[in-house]
Amino acid sequence: MLFKKNISKIFKILFSNVRNYFDQLLVSNTRRFVEKKLNALSKESLKQKPLKNLKKCLIDATFDGPNYWFRLGILRAAFDSPLIEYAVVGRFNKAKIKKTLKNFGISKISYIGTNILIEKKYLKEAEKIFYSLSSAKDLLNLKLPYEAPAIDLYDSLLKYQRNSTLNIYDKSLIKYISRYLKDLEMAKIIIDSIKPDLAILSHTTSGRINNGVLTWHLTRNKIPIIVPAGSFGNFAHFKILEYADHFNHVNKPSKKDMQIKDKAKLEKLRSLGAEYIRRRIKGQAKDLGAELAFPKKSERISKSMICKQYSWDKKKPVIAVFASIWFDNPHTFGMTQFIDFNDWLNFTFEAASKNKNFNWIFKPHPSEDWYGGTKMRDLFPKEIPSHIRISNKNWNGQDFRNSIDLIVTLHGTIGVEMASFGKPVLVATKGWYGDLGFVKFCQTRKVYGQSLNSKWWLDQDIENNKRLADIFAGYYFCIPKEDNSIYLDNDSSQFKLYESHKNLLINNKDLINREIKTMKKWLKSDSKHYHIFKMRNSKDYKFSKNI
């Protein structure tokens, strides 16, 4: 009997291995097809173009993501003249990436972060930094070579630790800091050697790959950067002309955009935005964040049920505090009021502990389990005041949002969603929408603390907030009605995406050509954000395939 079980296990393992082999082979073939097709698009676009004013272009090839390669391929086809391309390859997936570069016809390659050996000079400097730290804040005050911003190093280290705040007693920091210092040096050497006229980057901040060092040296040398980014399945490219631009990476409307004189267009954006938010909260959006925040199977709740469960006075306002992913680049929007997300959470928790006029529910980010790392429940004391609770992850997302009265967040998407639903929102930093008029934005740590202990919502014009949030959502989530927007599925699908890319290239040639034509116009424009450029120049709007 035992022999039969063992034989069965062996056959299962063998079958699984054979299936994986053929799956990988099929993906590899599809990937090659897609990449060669994308390269052909570039060649076709440049057909019969005069070989003049050739520009050297530094291309970030440190990140192996199917959607990134697709967006890069479309972007390459949008340039009016050939580029002399130099790729930078990093530590991960080198063999696969080199094949991709070959399929793109890129042969000039430099390497960053690939050498396991870290020279003594970097290790010594890293040890010096490590032993000088008495708090996480000390790292933010570091003077780095080439005046590089310490916030980028901080966020990189946080990604390695996957903690809520930097553990300054973790000796592995020495290795990570030394690697960052070496990458900072290597980036300078590469850029000084190539002297590019422009660069295309996958990311502009550091994580486990130190893209931030490229951003820093490129902007120091006044070399423009284009980032072929994506958001909710749509192209969300942006340009960086100076270092501060990389904090303004979200393709969102400006105050001027939200006050255009064309009332018909503004009303269409408002109505579409409101309907998009309504559908999103009902769980109809297809992006990963929405799928995790609004799962199909969940526990139905109400404010009365919550108050009964926690023995709360239901006459008191219920304030929900929505958290972020702790280690996900806390300084991505240039935050200065707090050291990191953990600092913000502790500050908010302490204020809430003292304020018993309200009932408080702290809500972990819906992607907390997906990404792993520190959990919210690990950050709170075992005994917490009776007027404070952590939300149940099984609660229905829509019901929970209907049950709460007020919202506090650092800069989460929840701020847009809840303002659209007529709920007052308090944000602790400017983030990416704090200054656009539909939330209460606290410019300093002190003002934020004072607000948490007051009835901050009384001076809010809820109807106007809702109108502005809806217009914002229309710009941000929707697309031009003209059929010139490529939609890409979630990055979480990983290498299965190549099959959908193949179908796009074969069956949607006109759509792709229109996208390239629009992108050409954007490249020549002064607009920094591609999606907003399209929305500004559109006469009408519609939902994207995300809904």
Side-chain angles (χ1 to χ4, degrees), residues 304-314 359 386 389:
S304 296
M305 292 169 65
I306 293 172
C307 290
K308 183 178 180 180
Q309 181 178 339
Y310 296 138
S311 300
W312 284 350
D313 181 354
K314 63 181 181 180
N359 295 315
S386 59
R389 288 292 178 262

Side-chain angles (χ1 to χ4, degrees), residues 31-41 103-104:
R31 176 172 180 163
R32 188 185 310 112
F33 173 88
V34 167
E35 289 166 355
K36 285 185 174 293
K37 277 284 187 183
L38 288 169
N39 193 45
L41 281 176
N103 292 334
F104 279 161

Side-chain angles (χ1 to χ4, degrees), residues 7-18:
I7 289 293
S8 176
K9 284 182 180 179
I10 290 168
F11 272 109
K12 282 181 180 179
I13 292 169
L14 285 172
F15 176 75
S16 177
N17 288 340
V18 170

